[in-house]
Amino acid sequence: MPSNNLLLEEPIRMASVLEPSKPTFFPAMTKIVGTLGPRSRTVEVISDCLKAGMSVARFDFSWGDAAYHEETLENLKIAIRRTKKFCAVMLDTIGPELLVVNNNEQPISLEADTSVVLTPDKDKEATSNLLPINFSGLSKAVKKGDTIFIGQYLFTGRETTSVWLEVTDVDGEDVVCQIKNSATLAKQLYTLHVSQIHIDLPTLTDKDKEVISTWGVRNNIDFLSLSYTRHAEDVRQARDYLSKLGDLSQTQIFAKIENIEGITHFDEILQEADGIILARGNLGVDLPPEKVFLFQKSAVYKCNMAGKAAVVTRVVDSMTDNLRPTRAEATDVANAVLDGSDAILLGAETLWGLYPVETISIVGKICAEAEKVFNQDLYFKRAIKFVGEPMSHLESIASSAVRAAIKVKASVIICFTSSGRAARLIAKYRPTMPVISVVIPRLKTNQLRWSFSGAFEARQSLIVRGLFPLLADPRHAAESTDGANESVLKVALDHGKASGVIKSHDRVVVCQKLGDASVVKIIELED
């Protein structure tokens, strides 16, 4: 696929605007993370979400109890069996999140230019003039003139459902604020965010640990989304905690960057985390609006060069209530793809939204169109330059496989892997064709029982752009030198043919280990 200067291809591209998009087996190379909840938890809806392109299901523990999410997850498992679509599971922690405590759950109307008091006394009833909160240290953290935002499922940007407050006085443990816009706080979740203020609460709370050690362990979660990650030490502590929980030592940690502290320590966090989630809802509050795009481009670039997945949130908020995104939102999705994002995370759009399936489908279509004009040639050169010389053995093999696939116009790259690392390295170079990651399970023991590895590694590739997993027969070793690899290759080729990504006379690039050597070979298929 051509990937040169946009201006040179402008006449072709302009004509292609009017051509209908062609459906493919893989809706897009960019992955979609869908948050499951009230509007998206039945077997039927989840099945449709999987068919539309959702590859990671996110469970947000900021609301709902473990039993509720367990029921949703059981429905997901049924949907996976029905659709025969792989799907990974992401647990999103609560973290040091500040909440308004509204025990009667009635809507609260706030009027502009009036005062409201934020109090840590959670026994008091929430009214238009008094809002109890779950944090006793707010009065020590803020001062006159500071900005506080409160909203339903942070922050839609619509002035009717989120409110902007300015601190006017601190009275003991109470914080007095002036309301800057009229709004009604409705539904179950009211999140409070103080702009650019350190909140002295642990990143992994006791409640988070309880959920992880019970629900997380029981369901072998693939990803832990670490909310409000502020320092590299937050990731290290979370990893240390997971390492003590059996199979969860394999769980990948994605650091959610949501505030100035996370941005300040971004480079150190990136080194420790397996991936990054750019939580633009909160970032849009902590950063001036004109700076958000700059952080996104910088952060995604750093993730790309490090070979770690970058996930962007808050892209089509209006689809929570509408069947179509705004033009600005559609462009925003495309720009996230052109920036190099691995995945788009949908929150309220699929959690509370009226059109979860349509949202996933439309976002997938936008991603697919953007991928067609992604400047892979420029990206590849940047990645090679960033890595420098001498390259590591694996890095050299991965970049060579991508270069060969592009030169011979291969339809797919097939990579044999056990840990998933080789496949992720190939995907790091953003090939224009899908990468089928054939995960070869390994037999392992904990002295009490035997089990096979591979399931985690396969599912964890579902958040990496362009990577599509296939779990191989465990009787075949990843580095075998006999005919076993050929039979696994045949399975992978048959899978590609059945899915329509491989046709007769296509060329396929295969990356595999033969003994101690890593080999990249080109196969031309016959009839």
Side-chain angles (χ1 to χ4, degrees):
M1 187 177 74
S3 57
N4 297 323
N5 191 297
L6 276 172
L7 291 175
L8 294 178
E9 296 180 9
E10 191 65 39
I12 301 170
R13 301 244 171 107
M14 188 59 73
S16 70
V17 171
L18 302 177
E19 294 175 2
S21 302
K22 296 177 182 177
T24 61
F25 177 76
F26 301 118
M29 306 274 269
T30 307
K31 304 302 176 64
I32 297 176
V33 181
T35 305
L36 301 186
R39 294 280 184 174
S40 53
R41 67 190 302 259
T42 65
V43 174
E44 291 71 23
V45 173
I46 296 174
S47 296
D48 288 341
C49 288
L50 292 172
K51 292 175 189 174
M54 180 181 77
S55 62
V56 179
R58 172 175 170 258
F59 293 80
D60 186 356
F61 276 80
S62 294
W63 66 277
D65 58 20
Y68 181 92
H69 289 300
E70 185 72 27
E71 186 180 323
T72 305
L73 183 57
E74 288 305 313
N75 289 343
L76 171 64
K77 291 175 182 176
I78 296 170
I80 290 171
R81 290 195 293 271
R82 280 190 187 178
T83 61
K84 295 182 171 59
K85 299 279 188 185
F86 252 139
C87 188
V89 172
M90 174 182 284
L91 189 160
D92 199 311
T93 64
I94 301 170
E97 187 169 54
L98 307 187
L99 297 173
V100 172
V101 181
N102 182 23
N103 293 320
N104 61 26
E105 296 190 4
Q106 294 298 313
I108 303 169
S109 295
L110 302 173
E111 293 295 325
D113 300 322
T114 61
S115 290
V116 64
V117 176
L118 306 180
T119 179
D121 188 346
K122 292 183 283 189
D123 293 329
K124 291 187 177 178
E125 184 177 338
T127 67
S128 299
N129 307 112
L130 183 73
L131 297 177
I133 61 173
N134 67 340
F135 179 50
S136 60
L138 185 65
S139 60
K140 297 174 183 175
V142 300
K143 63 183 184 303
K144 184 176 180 179
D146 281 346
T147 299
I148 297 175
F149 289 85
I150 299 176
Q152 163 211 324
Y153 206 83
L154 274 174
F155 291 106
T156 63
R158 291 171 298 169
E159 291 192 341
T160 56
T161 58
S162 55
V163 67
W164 169 29
L165 309 176
E166 183 178 308
V167 177
T168 57
D169 193 18
V170 175
D171 182 10
E173 289 192 325
D174 293 346
V175 177
V176 184
C177 302
Q178 183 184 31
I179 302 170
K180 307 298 283 188
N181 64 283
S182 297
T184 300
L185 303 181
K187 295 191 179 178
Q188 303 171 32
L189 190 62
Y190 314 88
T191 311
L192 182 147
H193 184 83
V194 187
S195 183
Q196 301 193 21
I197 295 294
H198 172 75
I199 300 300
D200 191 19
L201 289 171
T203 300
L204 198 64
T205 65
D206 289 340
K207 185 175 180 181
D208 290 329
K209 290 179 179 178
E210 181 188 348
V211 168
I212 294 167
S213 62
T214 54
W215 192 91
V217 169
R218 187 164 60 246
N219 296 299
N220 280 341
I221 56 169
D222 302 296
F223 304 106
L224 180 72
S225 170
L226 192 60
S227 296
Y228 296 94
T229 304
R230 295 167 285 185
H231 302 272
E233 184 60 28
D234 296 338
V235 182
R236 286 192 286 268
Q237 288 177 0
R239 199 177 301 283
D240 181 60
Y241 184 71
L242 291 177
S243 69
K244 300 170 184 174
L245 298 175
D247 286 344
L248 290 202
S249 60
Q250 301 174 74
T251 299
Q252 290 189 351
I253 298 174
F254 274 57
K256 275 178 87 176
I257 307 300
E258 309 195 48
N259 54 28
I260 289 292
E261 284 180 278
I263 294 173
T264 304
H265 304 106
F266 183 85
D267 290 345
E268 297 92 336
I269 292 170
L270 179 60
Q271 284 185 336
E272 292 293 331
D274 296 297
I276 297 289
I277 297 175
L278 309 183
R280 302 191 309 172
N282 280 346
L283 281 173
V285 174
D286 255 22
L287 285 175
E290 67 273 17
K291 294 287 187 180
V292 176
F293 87 96
L294 201 55
F295 170 70
Q296 175 176 313
K297 288 181 179 293
S298 173
V300 171
Y301 172 78
K302 288 178 182 235
C303 290
N304 290 164
M305 295 303 104
K308 296 187 178 182
V311 182
V312 173
T313 71
R314 305 306 299 266
V315 288
V316 285
D317 284 350
S318 72
M319 288 197 75
T320 304
D321 301 308
N322 301 301
L323 194 52
R324 286 169 62 89
T326 67
R327 272 73 64 199
E329 288 172 336
T331 304
D332 188 30
V333 174
N335 279 328
V337 174
L338 296 176
D339 285 345
S341 301
D342 286 82
I344 302 294
L345 190 154
L346 302 173
E349 302 97 324
T350 55
L351 179 72
W352 310 108
L354 303 178
Y355 309 101
V357 178
E358 292 83 355
T359 302
I360 292 169
S361 177
I362 288 174
V363 168
K365 288 176 181 177
I366 298 169
C367 290
E369 288 296 321
E371 288 157 9
K372 293 177 185 176
V373 296
F374 180 74
N375 195 331
Q376 197 279 336
D377 185 50
L378 178 61
Y379 177 94
F380 188 88
K381 289 175 181 175
R382 281 179 180 168
I384 293 289
K385 183 178 179 181
F386 183 87
V387 172
E389 295 179 354
M391 277 187 173
S392 69
H393 177 79
L394 258 183
E395 198 91 44
S396 177
I397 290 293
S399 58
S400 297
V402 174
R403 189 193 298 273
I406 290 170
K407 291 292 184 185
V408 303
K409 291 184 168 53
S411 54
V412 295
I413 299 173
I414 296 176
C415 176
F416 293 94
T417 182
S418 289
S419 67
R421 186 180 169 210
R424 286 195 299 272
L425 266 180
I426 290 173
K428 167 186 170 179
Y429 287 93
R430 294 288 186 260
T432 53
M433 65 290 296
V435 180
I436 297 179
S437 171
V438 183
V439 180
I440 313 288
R442 285 177 174 163
L443 191 62
K444 60 179 183 176
T445 180
N446 60 1
Q447 277 72 54
L448 294 175
R449 65 186 177 94
W450 291 94
S451 62
F452 284 107
S453 69
F456 270 102
E457 291 82 356
R459 291 192 302 265
Q460 285 167 347
S461 65
L462 291 168
I463 205 166
V464 181
R465 181 158 154 184
L467 208 51
F468 300 92
L470 183 65
L471 198 56
D473 190 316
R475 290 170 294 183
H476 298 148
E479 64 281 346
S480 71
T481 55
D482 56 21
N485 258 2
E486 292 306 314
S487 63
V488 180
L489 177 58
K490 184 179 184 304
V491 171
L493 291 172
D494 288 344
H495 173 71
K497 290 173 184 175
S499 60
V501 296
I502 302 176
K503 302 181 293 296
S504 297
H505 305 294
D506 275 1
R507 289 170 179 169
V508 174
V509 168
V510 180
C511 185
Q512 64 187 125
K513 282 196 79 174
L514 293 176
D516 294 329
S518 297
V519 177
V520 174
K521 62 184 180 182
I522 301 166
I523 300 173
E524 186 159 348
L525 302 180
E526 299 175 353
D527 288 329

